[in-house]
């Protein structure tokens, strides 16, 4: 079994090799280009054809082999990471050694100031400096590139003496700078990797804690609802017995408090289930018009008690039969209509249903709940869709509620493939819009295609709340 330290080491090695393979692509093409540039711009082949041919063959072959290892890394590395590393380093070592020896040979053949030597010197400087970008994730790879690339030139300069001492000293200083800078960049790379690992670990812990919280809420809400239903049931039975007026008042208060607590538990349970992604939408056939009418009728009494009108309008293009989850669609409508009734003191509420888009097998319906209530400031339009949030925290005391209804509705609408948004101005009421994509039964698809030819006229259906 791997220890945490061993697991971290393996992750670091895999990340290092992945970054080196990704960064080396540009370096490999640069090396191939440098070989071609040397052959075309220099006059080496005229004087030393065998050495030049051997240099070009080995340098080009090593670069192509390294490019093959990089391109096929996912396949080869998965089989044997150690073998892939050995192959990559071997190709790198061959390329660097050949280039370093050829540069040292040019110093011997042409001296330090001829065009051929200067050309190789500048190319060597470029290849060695570029390795700081491509090979710093692993210091060993960087050393295996710099040492065979720079050591032959340094040794030849010091061995020949004279002007070679000055050139050799410059190579030594340059090599020391590259090695020092390479160690510094490698330390930064390791530090960034450790920081990223800690961030990912903290993220996983936070996600696990959030999932545990959601699971706890879902489980505890289920457990609490059972005794709450028992309390409500026993209270209702007690209210049916002979009681004094004071006893009846006390039991009515207890019953109303229990009902409020049960509604709160239901909201928390719905939120926790949605938050824990435990909600699976049903796919059953139902009548949209009937669902809308029944939902409005269920809230008609509450609206009538506040002297509000509650009506609904359904466009002719809305299909009669769709497939989806009627209970979750009804839940969204109840939340929006309930909020509209709660925050409206005079006037009325209207629920409109139309068609956003329709195809041969799917209808995206557009619902809008418009009220004449207190309205919501523009800077609060996004806040109210967040959990446990309301446009004004004082509303919790004035109107009650936990602020979960809109959050639950938002999640359910997203599960139904739609979106929810708000249009409102303070003092001018609010209009909550949402879309829901529902399937079309096979029998209703022909009718849906014909209904597209009709106009989008609306037919108004007043609910019982409208006729007092």
């Amino acid at each position: 079994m791997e220890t945490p330290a061993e697991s971290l080491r393996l992750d670091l090695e895999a990340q290092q090799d992945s970054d080196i393979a990704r960064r080396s692509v540009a370096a490999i093409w640069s090396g191939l280009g440098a070989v071609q540039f040397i052959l075309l711009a220099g006059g080496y082949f005229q004087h030393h054809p065998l050495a030049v041919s051997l240099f070009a063959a080995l340098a080009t072959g090593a670069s192509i082999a390294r490019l093959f290892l990089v391109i096929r890394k996912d396949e080869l590395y998965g089989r044997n990471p150690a073998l892939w590393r050995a192959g990559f380093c071997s190709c790198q070592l061959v390329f660097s050694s050949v280039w370093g020896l050829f540069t040292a040979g040019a110093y011997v053949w042409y001296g330090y100031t001829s065009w051929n030597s200067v050309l190789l010197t500048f190319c060597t400087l470029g290849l060695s400096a570029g390795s700081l970008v491509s090979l710093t994730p692993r210091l060993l790879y960087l050393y295996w590139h710099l040492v065979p690339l720079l050591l032959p030139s340094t040794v030849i300069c010091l061995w020949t003496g004279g002007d070679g001492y000055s050139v050799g000293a410059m190579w030594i200083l340059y090599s020391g700078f590259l090695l020092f800078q390479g160690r510094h960049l490698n330390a930064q790379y390791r530090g960034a990797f450790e920081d990223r690992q800690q961030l990912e670990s903290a993220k996983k812990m936070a996600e696990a804690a959030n999932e545990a919280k959601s699971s706890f809420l879902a489980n505890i809400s289920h457990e609490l609802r059972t005794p709450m239903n028992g309390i409500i049931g026993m209270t209702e039975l007690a209210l049916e017995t002979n009681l004094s007026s004071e006893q009846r008042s006390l039991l009515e208060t207890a019953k109303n408090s229990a009902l409020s607590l049960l509604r709160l538990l239901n909201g928390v349970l719905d939120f926790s289930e949605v938050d824990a992604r435990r909600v699976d939408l049903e796919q059953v056939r139902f009548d949209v018009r009937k669902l809308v009418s029944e939902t409005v009728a269920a809230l008609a009494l509450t609206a009538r008690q506040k002297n509000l009108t509650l009506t609904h309008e359904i466009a002719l293009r809305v299909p009669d039969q769709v497939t989806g989850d009627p209970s979750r669609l009804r839940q969204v409508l109840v939340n929006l209509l309930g909020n509209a009734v709660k925050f409206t003191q005079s006037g009325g509420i209207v629920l409109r249903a139309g068609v956003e888009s329709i195809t041969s097998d799917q209808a995206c319906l557009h619902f809008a709940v418009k009220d004449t209530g207190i309205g919501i400031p523009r800077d609060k339009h996004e806040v109210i869709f967040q959990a446990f949030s309301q446009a004004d925290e004082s509303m919790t005391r004035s109107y009650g509620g936990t602020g979960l209804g809109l959050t639950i509705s938002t999640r359910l609408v997203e599960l139904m493939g739609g979106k929810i948004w708000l249009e409102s101005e303070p003092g001018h009421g609010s209009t909550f819009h949402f879309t829901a994509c529902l399937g079309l039964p096979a029998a209703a698809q022909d009718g849906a295609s014909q209904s597209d030819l009709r106009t989008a006229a609306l037919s108004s259906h007043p609910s019982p709340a409208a006729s007092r």
Side-chain angles (χ1 to χ4, degrees), residues 32-355:
L32 287 170
V35 172
Q36 301 303 317
F37 178 69
I38 288 295
L39 295 177
L40 294 175
Y44 313 97
F45 192 80
Q46 298 175 359
H47 308 98
H48 307 281
L50 181 60
V52 173
S53 300
L54 187 62
F55 160 76
L58 290 176
T60 302
S63 296
I64 293 176
R66 193 153 51 109
L67 184 62
F68 171 80
L69 290 174
V70 169
I71 294 175
R72 300 292 297 276
K73 176 184 177 296
D74 292 340
E75 178 183 351
L76 300 176
Y77 193 89
R79 296 178 183 176
N80 193 328
L83 185 60
W84 184 90
R85 295 189 194 108
F88 185 90
C89 290
S90 298
C91 295
Q92 181 71 55
L93 184 61
V94 170
F95 177 85
S96 303
S97 301
V98 169
W99 194 283
L101 291 173
F102 191 67
T103 303
Y107 287 165
V108 174
W109 299 328
Y110 308 107
Y112 304 112
T113 57
S114 70
W115 166 248
N116 290 329
S117 298
V118 172
L119 186 63
L120 274 170
T121 299
F122 277 103
C123 288
T124 303
L125 291 174
L127 292 174
S128 57
S131 63
L132 289 180
V133 176
S134 60
L135 299 177
T136 45
R138 277 187 179 271
L139 278 180
L140 184 61
Y141 289 19
L142 181 64
Y143 293 161
W144 282 19
H145 175 67
L146 292 180
V147 172
L149 182 64
L150 303 178
L151 183 61
S153 301
T154 306
V155 171
I156 288 296
C157 291
L158 297 177
W159 179 68
T160 56
D163 294 339
Y165 288 125
S166 300
V167 178
M170 288 189 293
W171 277 119
I172 291 174
L173 291 174
Y174 180 67
S175 301
F177 167 77
L178 291 180
L179 294 176
F180 174 79
Q181 190 67 15
R183 289 183 65 86
H184 177 68
L185 293 175
N186 179 261
Q188 288 185 332
Y189 177 87
R190 286 175 172 268
F193 175 81
E194 292 175 358
D195 291 343
R196 187 165 59 250
Q197 288 292 105
Q198 292 178 1
L199 181 61
E200 291 178 357
S201 177
K203 180 182 177 182
K204 290 179 181 179
M205 293 177 62
E207 291 175 347
N210 184 59
E211 184 176 352
K213 177 264 299 179
S214 299
S215 299
F216 171 77
L217 284 176
N219 293 330
I220 198 65
S221 298
H222 272 298
E223 296 300 325
L224 288 175
R225 283 202 305 180
T226 300
M228 284 306 305
N229 284 322
I231 293 173
I232 294 172
M234 293 301 101
T235 305
E236 290 177 344
L237 291 176
L239 286 170
E240 295 177 0
T241 62
N242 295 324
L243 301 169
S244 66
S245 58
E246 182 180 1
Q247 291 173 328
R248 186 171 298 279
S249 176
L250 292 174
L251 287 174
E252 288 286 354
T253 302
K255 177 185 175 182
N256 292 333
S257 299
L259 288 172
S260 298
L261 182 56
L262 182 60
R263 284 193 293 270
L264 173 61
L265 290 174
N266 287 333
V268 173
L269 175 61
D270 287 337
F271 174 76
S272 60
E273 286 181 342
V274 172
D275 194 48
R277 295 177 174 84
R278 293 185 177 183
V279 176
D280 294 323
L281 297 182
E282 295 181 343
Q283 293 297 323
V284 297
R285 184 169 178 169
F286 66 96
D287 189 330
V288 178
R289 299 173 185 275
K290 181 179 179 182
L291 183 143
V292 170
S293 300
E294 291 176 349
T295 303
V296 171
L299 293 169
L301 178 60
T302 305
R304 186 163 57 245
Q305 289 173 348
K306 296 184 67 173
N307 295 320
L308 302 174
T309 60
L310 178 58
T311 61
H312 66 281
E313 300 173 354
I314 304 177
L316 295 175
R317 294 181 65 217
V318 175
D320 291 332
Q321 298 291 323
V322 296
T323 58
D325 194 327
S327 62
R328 293 301 182 180
L329 179 59
R330 181 183 290 108
Q331 183 176 0
V332 176
L333 292 174
V334 168
N335 283 339
L336 296 182
L337 289 171
N339 279 347
V341 173
K342 180 193 299 185
F343 296 108
T344 302
Q345 301 303 322
S346 62
I349 300 102
V350 58
L351 167 61
R352 294 187 176 93
V355 175

Side-chain angles (χ1 to χ4, degrees), residues 334-396:
V334 168
N335 283 339
L336 296 182
L337 289 171
N339 279 347
V341 173
K342 180 193 299 185
F343 296 108
T344 302
Q345 301 303 322
S346 62
I349 300 102
V350 58
L351 167 61
R352 294 187 176 93
V355 175
E356 182 82 7
S357 63
I358 191 167
T359 63
S360 60
D361 59 351
Q362 187 182 68
C364 289
L365 303 185
H366 179 185
F367 297 89
V369 177
K370 180 178 177 59
D371 63 58
T372 57
I374 59 177
I376 301 172
R378 287 187 177 275
D379 59 341
K380 301 294 184 180
H381 284 193
E382 298 295 332
V383 175
I384 62 172
F385 292 105
Q386 300 175 5
F388 306 103
S389 297
Q390 291 185 339
D392 185 352
E393 296 302 328
S394 63
M395 290 181 179
T396 302

